[in-house]
Amino acid sequence: STYSLSYLDLSTGEFCAAGFGESDKFEFFRKELYRLMPGEILIQESLCSEDSDIASILDNYKKVIINRFPDWQFDLENSIQALRTQFNVINLKGFGFEDNAPELLSAGVILNYIHETSKSMLPHITGITRFDSSGYMYLDESSLRNLEILRNIQDGSSRYSLIEVLDHTKTAGGSRKMKQWLTS
């Protein structure tokens, strides 16, 4: 079976979707959550209750809002329709996705959730890209920690870390992009 992971940065409009298989699920999910460090996670209820690997990963995110959605809300047809409506297109081939691409399942759920909570059409979200992790070199959590890329070992702050030295960006979006480059 194929799993779907999508992320949306509301401030920049960056919207990405990825698919991964059963054998990669634990590593991919763990790496992506660590890389993205989301403020909120939307997840299918059955994944939390029936998959101990996924549940153990989520246990590490105590300060993150985790919204568990019922399985019926994860409907591929509804997700694809939400994406077509958002981007005002007939199909999503122009974004690199075939019809019924499983990666789009979570993307549509995110979009529907944002529409319900913000009550706006989010005009700055104009596209979606396929995220392919093979184009990146990942550092595992212990390497990021020991190399003090984002936080120092002493107190866990960004003081004396690589990001503090390099990040002289002018905007929050630029700072997030710098962090994204350093973690992948």
Side-chain angles (χ1 to χ4, degrees), residues 22-92:
E22 178 76 35
S23 61
D24 302 328
K25 114 183 129 173
F26 180 77
E27 275 303 303
F28 188 86
F29 192 62
R30 185 181 57 79
K31 285 179 184 177
E32 285 306 300
L33 284 183
Y34 192 81
R35 180 181 73 84
L36 295 168
M37 293 186 190
E40 186 171 5
I41 297 171
L42 311 178
I43 191 160
Q44 193 170 343
E45 178 63 45
S46 63
L47 281 177
C48 296
S49 60
E50 297 170 10
D51 193 317
S52 60
D53 291 336
I54 299 293
S56 69
I57 294 169
L58 291 174
D59 284 343
N60 295 325
Y61 292 87
K62 303 284 187 218
K63 295 180 182 177
V64 174
I65 298 167
I66 299 175
N67 286 317
R68 298 172 184 219
F69 281 50
D71 290 2
W72 63 266
Q73 285 189 311
F74 287 80
D75 180 72
L76 184 58
E77 193 173 311
N78 287 343
S79 291
I80 290 171
Q81 187 55 48
L83 293 163
R84 287 178 186 157
T85 301
Q86 175 66 32
F87 307 135
N88 196 25
V89 295
I90 294 172
N91 63 50
L92 299 165

Side-chain angles (χ1 to χ4, degrees), residues 4-5 9 12 16 21 32 59 100 110 119 142 145 156 166 173 177 183:
S4 171
L5 182 138
D9 184 337
T12 63
C16 294
E32 285 306 300
D59 284 343
N100 299 326
I110 290 172
K119 305 293 185 212
S142 64
R145 189 173 34 258
L166 296 177
K177 184 55 85 174
T183 57

Side-chain angles (χ1 to χ4, degrees), residues 158 160-179 181-182:
S158 63
Y160 306 118
S161 66
L162 181 61
I163 191 124
E164 184 195 40
V165 172
L166 296 177
D167 188 3
H168 295 285
T169 56
K170 303 282 186 210
T171 64
S175 185
R176 279 190 295 279
K177 184 55 85 174
M178 175 69 70
K179 179 179 161 192
W181 286 340
L182 288 176

